[in-house]
Amino acid sequence: MQNCEQRLAGAIEFIKEQAADYTKYNETAIAKGLVREAAAVHALESLSLDCDEAALSERAKGLWLTGICLLDAQGELVCEYTEDGIGYAQLQSGIKLEPILSVIGYPQKTYVKHVELDDGSFADVAVHSCADGAGAVLAYRYTGAEFSQKSVLSIQPLIDSYGVNSTGTLLVVEENRVSASNDPTLIGMNIFESERLMSIRRSNRADKLIRVYAPKGIEQCYGMYSHGRNYSLYAYVPARQVYDLTVMNLVITLVMYILILAFVQGFRWNSAKDFFMQQENSEQEYKKSLEQKNAALELAVQRETKANLAKREFLFNMSHDIRTPMNAIIGFTALAQTHIDDRDQVEDYLKKISVSSQHLLSLINDVLDMSRIENGKVTLETKPVHLPELVEDIGDAIQVGADKKHISFTVDTAGMKNEDVIADPLRLEQILINVLANAVKFTPDGGQISLRIVQKDTASADYADFEFHIKDNGIGMSEEFQKHIFEQFARERTSTVSKIQGTGLGLAITKSLVDMMGGRITVESEPGRGSEFTISLRFPVGEAKAGQMIPVSKASDFTGKKLLVVEDNELNLEIASTLLEEAGFEVDTAGNGKIAVEKVEAASASRYDLILMDIQMPEMDGYEASRRIRALPNKKKAAIPIVAMTANAFEEDQKNALNVGMNGHIAKPLDIQKLFQVLSELLK
């Protein structure tokens, strides 16, 4: 009796331990899914209730979502997109209306829910308020029944390893139904239908072996039960396996024992040994497998935790660094309004607003650059480069900041032998400016910065090896921080103490670009004594021509030139129209691509000299509008120069503009000098 109780108790305890680990793993998997959904729905808060299904489909595919629903302020469905036929109507059974309504108008709130459907499938759902507060965006990822079971750990395989005859019948009961058992016929049974299980339960003696008095016709047995986290475990064995044999069986057994003593004894010993060895090996293999899974899960959790900590640190830094220039922009705007009659004062405020705006734009560009590098969207475009000319341009850009802090900035190119190479000038310039700008930022007033270029004699024929040494006598950095300096969002405490702004992405971007070029970057530094960065790169030797770009003055005469400006944002339209009219242009406007096409079709062939075209617009975007203009039967209208004027500022956006027949690309925020330069070239 005691051995039976220990055997059942041991099996139940082991199953409870594994069930707890499984539950922890499954809950972690669900939590990670909900975190991903929360991040995705935040990216959709700009959606408005007038979006159509096509727009929702495009956003869903970009974020790897199964579906997106737009809900009004009463929680009623306005529009939805789904790719698996599972929509808001099916999800309503698992989500409550009250939490959905509570997020509308509160952008700091997000409602997440793991919804399990009747067919065994599930969906991870996240709800967030629309930016305008008129409703809510519901986003979800759906997992079908055929995959849902593969995504979680189940206790059934563990229970199957216990034989009914050797251990007894084991059952896991959730909400009064058998969810797992080593007797498949019992799975799904309601325990109220089993008098045997109800007798065990009514004893109220958890973790104790009791005699179960079953009705006539049902085999008598001994059983026990135990409480789990949100389930119960039952186990029972027939009474005949507990008590000694009956007298008749004993007589028969004794006779047989006498006749085949040696054979039976040896067989029993070998069988018992094999059985226990097999069971022990099975349990050891299972424990080993589980330990490996637990180790993998723990490693995944550690990585997720590390990533989340880095993201939280990044958001903290970004919140500070974005608010700083925003505070200046808002503050100086208010001051300009209060001193509107003092022209000199207002001009000073406007200059400070411009500086803060440029800083804010640089923060945004850093974040976007890092994202594009990680997604593999940055490629090198090599071309002939004249290094002295490139270094001179870099020096001019850095000298402005150095002069403001009275920093001595020197450039030494005496070590260059091959001045003409094949490289990506934009990325090379970005690498050097990132490091030099950091040197200016972290060097106190009156300090010294130098850029020294040395050509090494280590390259094969037709190649040249260069070392770019950037040295300063600034605040330096600790030895510990030097190990993490090229990591994303890395910022040493001295940066904050000194109130020096930055995202912690500049050097991470630089390291990624250097790696793309097949080079290496190292740093030597000491707190209080400064830092020296060494960038080693190899370039093919080539020939370069001096730049032939002719700067265009703001004062270029555009009088009488007729422009069509296509822009859906009224503020942007007002800014562009005013700047162009002040430059002498005659400006006509259109609120979207469809209106623009209609105006060009209706106008005379000489009505417009050039079209400035936004890209993302309602009804018809700039790409489609450009295609239709280029397809007009009137050849003169079809040949009107079209320039993209858009916030889509990446290299691929410029290529897309050229592919649809546009003649140029201007990125927002508008660089007025560059705008006039492009217009002057196209209107010659």
Side-chain angles (χ1 to χ4, degrees), residues 74-370:
Q74 287 72 43
E76 296 295 330
L77 180 65
V78 176
C79 181
E80 74 172 345
Y81 162 78
T82 177
E83 64 181 35
D84 285 332
I86 302 298
Y88 185 58
Q90 290 79 9
L91 298 176
Q92 280 182 299
S93 61
I95 56 179
K96 297 180 180 180
L97 182 60
E98 183 179 351
I100 292 177
L101 298 180
S102 69
V103 306
I104 297 177
Y106 295 90
Q108 70 274 24
K109 287 186 177 182
T110 300
Y111 171 55
V112 294
K113 179 69 175 178
H114 179 78
V115 179
E116 297 184 354
L117 303 178
D118 294 336
D119 62 354
S121 61
F122 67 85
D124 291 327
V125 180
V127 185
H128 191 70
S129 175
C130 293
D132 59 7
V137 182
L138 183 148
Y140 60 92
R141 285 187 179 91
Y142 170 77
T143 301
E146 64 273 22
F147 298 108
S148 63
Q149 293 300 321
K150 299 178 182 179
S151 64
V152 297
L153 294 179
S154 171
I155 202 69
Q156 183 63 48
L158 173 61
I159 294 182
D160 286 341
S161 66
Y162 290 91
V164 173
N165 295 329
S166 59
T167 304
T169 302
L170 304 173
L171 307 93
V172 177
V173 177
E174 296 179 349
E175 298 181 353
N176 297 324
R177 286 198 175 274
V178 178
S179 60
S181 173
N182 59 351
D183 183 351
T185 63
L186 300 178
I187 296 176
M189 180 187 72
N190 191 315
I191 64 171
F192 292 105
E193 299 173 359
S194 172
E195 184 60 30
R196 176 178 290 153
L197 296 179
M198 292 306 297
S199 297
I200 296 174
R201 183 69 181 189
R202 283 193 294 267
S203 69
N204 289 325
R205 298 178 62 190
D207 303 314
K208 296 292 183 182
L209 188 68
I210 63 167
R211 175 69 181 264
V212 180
Y213 294 93
K216 187 176 181 180
I218 299 179
E219 185 179 24
Q220 302 296 311
C221 66
Y222 282 84
M224 64 190 304
Y225 78 95
S226 180
H227 295 294
R229 178 179 176 184
N230 53 2
Y231 59 88
S232 298
L233 282 166
Y234 289 81
Y236 59 82
V237 295
R240 57 183 170 77
Q241 291 184 225
V242 179
Y243 286 117
D244 295 330
L245 301 175
T246 62
V247 175
M248 181 62 69
N249 290 336
L250 180 60
V251 172
I252 296 173
T253 303
L254 288 173
V255 173
M256 293 178 65
Y257 180 77
I258 293 170
L259 294 176
I260 53 174
L261 175 63
F263 175 78
V264 172
Q265 187 69 18
F267 180 78
R268 286 185 62 192
W269 186 83
N270 287 330
S271 297
K273 181 180 178 181
D274 291 342
F275 171 76
F276 286 114
M277 287 184 64
Q278 290 176 1
Q279 190 172 31
E280 183 178 357
N281 290 337
S282 176
E283 290 185 358
Q284 287 179 351
E285 289 177 1
Y286 179 77
K287 288 181 179 179
K288 183 178 179 180
S289 174
L290 187 60
E291 288 173 356
Q292 291 175 345
K293 291 180 179 178
N294 288 340
L297 177 61
E298 184 177 353
L299 181 60
V301 171
Q302 289 175 353
R303 289 175 178 171
E304 188 76 15
T305 301
K306 184 177 180 181
N308 288 335
L309 288 174
K311 289 177 182 177
R312 282 198 295 270
E313 181 69 17
F314 165 68
L315 291 175
F316 174 81
N317 291 335
M318 283 299 295
S319 175
H320 172 270
D321 292 339
I322 288 177
R323 288 173 185 273
T324 298
M326 282 301 300
N327 180 64
I329 293 170
I330 294 170
F332 285 123
T333 300
L335 288 172
Q337 291 173 339
T338 60
H339 296 80
I340 196 69
D341 295 327
D342 188 341
R343 179 181 179 85
D344 293 339
Q345 190 71 55
V346 170
E347 285 185 352
D348 180 58
Y349 292 150
L350 291 177
K351 289 178 182 178
K352 293 175 180 177
I353 290 172
S354 177
V355 171
S356 297
S357 300
Q358 291 300 320
H359 176 62
L360 182 59
L361 182 61
S362 71
L363 294 176
I364 296 172
N365 287 338
D366 275 354
V367 176
L368 295 178
D369 275 351
M370 198 68 242

Side-chain angles (χ1 to χ4, degrees), residues 428-546:
L428 178 57
E429 184 174 307
Q430 186 176 3
I431 289 170
L432 296 177
I433 285 181
N434 275 357
V435 180
L436 284 166
N438 266 7
V440 173
K441 188 188 303 182
F442 293 101
T443 299
D445 291 3
Q448 296 178 344
I449 299 173
S450 64
L451 167 61
R452 183 168 60 93
I453 304 175
V454 178
Q455 184 170 344
K456 311 292 287 187
D457 296 326
T458 54
S460 57
D462 300 325
Y463 285 87
D465 286 342
F466 292 93
E467 284 187 354
F468 299 85
H469 296 266
I470 299 171
K471 187 175 183 180
D472 65 66
N473 62 347
I475 62 175
M477 65 191 84
S478 66
E479 183 177 349
E480 177 61 27
F481 181 67
Q482 292 177 48
K483 302 175 183 177
H484 308 282
I485 189 172
F486 298 115
E487 296 176 3
Q488 294 182 32
F489 320 128
R491 298 178 69 187
E492 193 171 20
R493 176 171 171 77
T494 53
S495 299
T496 304
V497 171
S498 303
K499 300 180 180 179
I500 299 174
Q501 298 174 342
T503 60
L505 288 173
L507 288 178
I509 293 171
T510 299
K511 178 68 164 60
S512 298
L513 293 175
V514 170
D515 290 343
M516 288 176 65
M517 293 182 177
R520 61 191 298 265
I521 179 171
T522 59
V523 60
E524 295 180 3
S525 183
E526 185 177 342
R529 299 180 64 88
S531 307
E532 181 174 2
F533 287 82
T534 302
I535 303 166
S536 303
L537 296 170
R538 172 174 291 182
F539 300 120
V541 176
E543 295 182 0
K545 296 181 180 180

